Amino acid sequence: MYTFSNKLKTFSIILMVLGLLGVGYGFMTSHKSLDEVKTMLAEEASHHGGGHAEEAHVVAESHDEHAEAATHTDESQAHATADEAHHGDEHAEHVMHQIHNRPWSALYVAAFFFMMIALGVLAFYAIQIASQAGWSPVLFRVMEGITAYLLPGGLIVLAIAFFADSHLFVWLKEGITVEGHENYDKLVAGKSGWLNKTGFFIRGLIFLGGWVLYRQFSRKFSIAQDTADDNRNFKKSFRIAAGFLVFFIYTESMMSWDWIMSVDPHWFSTLFGWYVFASMFVSGITVIALISIYLKSKGVLEFVNENHLHDVAKFMFAFSIFWTYLWFSQFMLIWYSNIPEEVTYFVTRFADYKLPFLGMVVMNFVFPILMLMNADYKRIPWFVVMAGLVILFGHYIDIFNMIMPATVGDRWFIGIPEISSVLLFAGLFIFVVFTALTKAPLLVKRYPFRKESEEFHY
Amino acid sequence: MEASKVIHAIYTDDDVLMSAVKKVKAERHHIEEIYTPFPVHGLDKAMGLAPTRIAITAFIYGLIGLTVAIVMMNFIMIEDWPQNIGGKPSFSYIENMPAFVPIMFELTVFFAAHLMVITFYLRSRMWPFKNAENPDPRTTDDHFLMEIAIHGNENELESLLAETGAVEINIIDKEDGH
């Protein structure tokens, strides 16, 4: 049995407290009124303009006056005289919304990132059981520990989505489906059969319910198999793993439309579900490697040897390439045909997110392919840890790139709200996962492939 | 060249062969060659053979293929005749790079795979019409053969090999090996 060391527990609690403080700070500082945003924009303009500083300020002030004067006058006249002013106003309002959205998006990106690790591990676990893998049973308890985060993590994602509302999902803006309303959007209205708040949460709960149900039962059968005197539980876990994988691939795809793609409701991509899946799968496998290496360094996983590490690292390597394949396929097809309604997705990312957008390709592809290609390197724990940390950071940036351009646009920065959100959920993740690891012995007993796995040799 | 004598020990089981190899190595005799009908797991380690470097050559060949692809398309599409084909930006290589990636990938794989195979053929001396070097046709079916050079220690070797479970021990005058 593993005991959650006090040091690690304190560490995770410190992470959560620090994260919570930072998230609170992020929300406090994001409450900017329209006037504050205007002064901020004027200041920015003066910084950029240098010599034009005064001019910009004057323009900003006149915008204010014009805007107020023009609000309740004849419409056509207002448009004619205060076209500029209106434009300035709209711009400031747009920026204000982006600033308001930032702490929500930061929280959502981090929450989704850690939830997807647990979900990726669950899928990996089900595949190991359904394929009757002979090498991995010694790692099952580690995987089961990680998937314990799925329930709290998934509920948190849904809760953030619920409270963030239109801060994250523009299709929840008031009146967006009402014809004649100033927010009316014909395209979104056409999709409201799928994109509506009730449907979103019903689907979300069904997805999460199915995954958690599989997690609970597979865990139950796994524990029961330890003390059983036949293989009934193993057979049951095999059957539900196969069933879960079918359920998973449908729901994961739909989840990616709902939870991620819908932040850009005008945009759609057919391989998006796979793309998100690749991201979650490789992050999940990386976390399995990191936690196994940590536990082994504590001496509680003596039956895991460098052959198992080698196999996990091979999966990290292969799925990093798989992720790149999907990332590139999605990008290249859209870039190549350059259809305006699709290509804006990458235009915004390229214009405002150049460093994260291209940086993640380096972290998620170039780095792992060079670091993990050599068979000897895959057997060196510190090497796998280093590569793993880069991969995890790269996939955080991946999720960041999916959400942020739609919610905060060019107002992004990896600052206090983003870092604290990651700390908060990292702390919670460590706390939940390592608590779950203490609940059962770290080696499956009586699992039919246990012996083979213990003697696994590459 | 001077004819040398070798001893051929024949086995019928790969496990016996493995333990024989270990015993012969422990007695510090040099094993010239082992002929088996199929790959025996761990035999190279037991014989103390150096690990292969063919993966490293493949990596280098892949880099060569990638370079060929980049240089070729940069010359053809960007430098030599930068036409406007369907609005693709042919001003610089990087601007049109996504369109070149499929070819860059394929040529990398092509070079890595084919040159590695050719390297393998050359290093293991395999080509059409080559004379087979098989000392005993049964080793392609179900027998294993260990070949040890004799340096005046015929009897000692013979008894050692008999101990290891060899089903047949032959002493053979060998024309120049290979």
Side-chain angles (χ1 to χ4, degrees), chain A residues 328 331-332 335-337 370 373, chain B residues 59 88 95-96 98-99 101-102:
Chain A
F328 182 71
F331 170 70
M332 195 262 239
W335 172 85
Y336 206 101
S337 60
L370 293 177
M373 194 185 296
Chain B
F59 181 71
K88 284 279 159 285
E95 274 176 290
N96 211 359
V101 166

Side-chain angles (χ1 to χ4, degrees), chain A residues 104-303:
Chain A
W104 286 111
S105 314
L107 204 59
Y108 189 71
V109 169
F112 184 86
F113 176 68
F114 283 97
M115 188 284 300
M116 98 177 175
I117 289 174
L119 185 57
V121 171
L122 189 67
F124 188 70
Y125 176 72
I127 290 173
Q128 296 305 306
I129 291 180
S131 64
Q132 308 201 351
W135 67 277
S136 54
V138 292
L139 294 171
F140 276 180
R141 286 289 144 83
V142 176
M143 298 183 207
E144 286 166 17
I146 297 170
T147 54
Y149 181 76
L150 185 59
L151 178 60
L155 287 177
I156 289 169
V157 171
L158 283 175
I160 295 172
F162 184 81
F163 290 112
D165 206 72
S166 62
H167 283 298
L168 278 173
F169 304 105
V170 281
W171 49 270
L172 282 172
K173 251 200 303 198
E174 200 195 332
I176 199 157
T177 57
V178 182
E179 216 164 331
H181 196 282
E182 58 166 342
N183 282 339
Y184 178 67
D185 184 324
K186 201 176 170 190
L187 287 175
V188 173
K191 296 181 182 184
S192 62
W194 179 274
L195 288 182
N196 56 74
K197 199 164 185 175
T198 329
F200 181 95
F201 285 100
I202 290 176
R203 285 193 303 273
L205 289 173
I206 291 174
F207 303 157
L208 193 61
W211 304 333
V212 169
L213 215 61
Y214 168 70
R215 197 264 158 191
Q216 295 303 331
F217 277 102
S218 63
R219 170 75 165 181
K220 195 184 130 199
F221 294 147
S222 170
I223 303 270
Q225 180 68 25
D226 275 4
T227 50
D229 41 18
D230 56 20
N231 286 338
R232 270 217 316 276
N233 291 295
F234 162 69
K235 282 180 189 156
K236 277 193 235 165
S237 71
F238 174 78
R239 267 187 231 120
I240 60 168
F244 165 74
L245 285 171
V246 176
F247 176 80
F248 171 78
I249 208 61
Y250 283 102
T251 51
E252 188 275 333
S253 193
M254 286 191 264
M255 176 276 282
S256 73
W257 310 335
D258 267 356
W259 299 6
I260 297 205
M261 200 159 74
S262 80
V263 295
D264 283 295
H266 286 183
W267 181 79
F268 46 86
S269 164
T270 40
L271 60 69
F272 197 73
W274 279 107
Y275 173 57
V276 174
F277 166 76
S279 209
M280 71 169 58
F281 210 54
V282 69
S283 322
I285 293 166
T286 304
V287 170
I288 296 175
L290 295 184
I291 292 184
S292 320
I293 291 171
Y294 170 79
L295 290 176
K296 191 168 162 58
S297 77
K298 294 283 159 206
V300 290
L301 225 54
E302 68 284 344
F303 40 85

Side-chain angles (χ1 to χ4, degrees), chain B residues 103-122:
Chain B
I103 296 152
M104 285 154 67
F105 170 77
E106 294 295 347
L107 278 184
T108 307
V109 175
F110 180 86
F111 272 63
H114 288 83
L115 292 180
M116 177 177 78
V117 168
I118 293 168
T119 307
F120 169 73
Y121 285 154
L122 292 177

